[in-house]
Amino acid sequence: MLIDKSGNITLITQERAKVTDLVNRLSGMYDKYKNDHLIINLSGLNRLTLDELLEFLEISNTHRRAKNSFVLVCEDTDYDLIPDELVVVPTLQEAYDIIEMEEIERDLGF
């Protein structure tokens, strides 16, 4: 797992381990990043199943309730199957764009 922090955005890139391991590690170190917008880059992993992506749902919901963005980057998935509560995009640039849009929405009171 590679971690890169820039301002209030933390990018976590996972290249090898299982999704379950990553979710467990994220949960364990959540307090360290709970005030940052989080981008989880999973594009280095093989095609992920919907069940694997749904493992992030609890931590995503917690993070978003705290008014912070939580975005998964996954290039090869069926985006139509992903529930609205989970934000999944195909590229890092789109992840940064989502965070920018969500910050604007929060500033406007949405």
Side-chain angles (χ1 to χ4, degrees):
M1 175 171 29
L2 304 171
I3 300 171
D4 182 29
K5 183 171 170 63
S6 177
N8 64 345
I9 298 175
T10 298
L11 170 63
I12 298 174
T13 302
Q14 184 65 22
E15 295 178 327
R16 284 190 290 253
K18 294 180 182 179
V19 169
T20 306
D21 296 339
L22 175 59
V23 171
N24 290 335
R25 288 182 73 187
L26 256 164
S27 295
M29 60 184 202
Y30 182 72
D31 284 344
K32 185 174 182 179
Y33 302 108
K34 69 181 180 182
N35 296 319
D36 293 347
H37 301 297
L38 291 176
I39 298 173
I40 311 300
N41 185 1
L42 304 170
S43 58
L45 301 176
N46 293 331
R47 183 179 175 103
L48 298 174
T49 65
L50 177 60
D51 288 337
E52 288 174 312
L53 292 174
L54 289 176
E55 291 198 37
F56 290 98
L57 189 58
E58 184 178 333
I59 196 165
S60 173
N61 287 341
T62 300
H63 205 66
R64 295 171 66 80
R65 270 192 301 272
K67 304 290 184 201
N68 292 305
S69 298
F70 186 92
V71 185
L72 297 172
V73 178
C74 183
E75 296 172 355
D76 190 20
T77 193
D78 188 351
Y79 300 99
D80 293 330
L81 298 176
I82 298 168
D84 292 337
E85 297 87 10
L86 201 57
V87 179
V88 182
V89 296
T91 67
L92 278 175
Q93 183 57 53
E94 288 179 82
Y96 285 104
D97 291 346
I98 289 286
I99 290 172
E100 186 176 334
M101 285 188 302
E102 288 181 347
E103 283 185 325
I104 292 169
E105 288 174 354
R106 284 188 284 272
D107 286 347
L108 294 174
F110 293 105

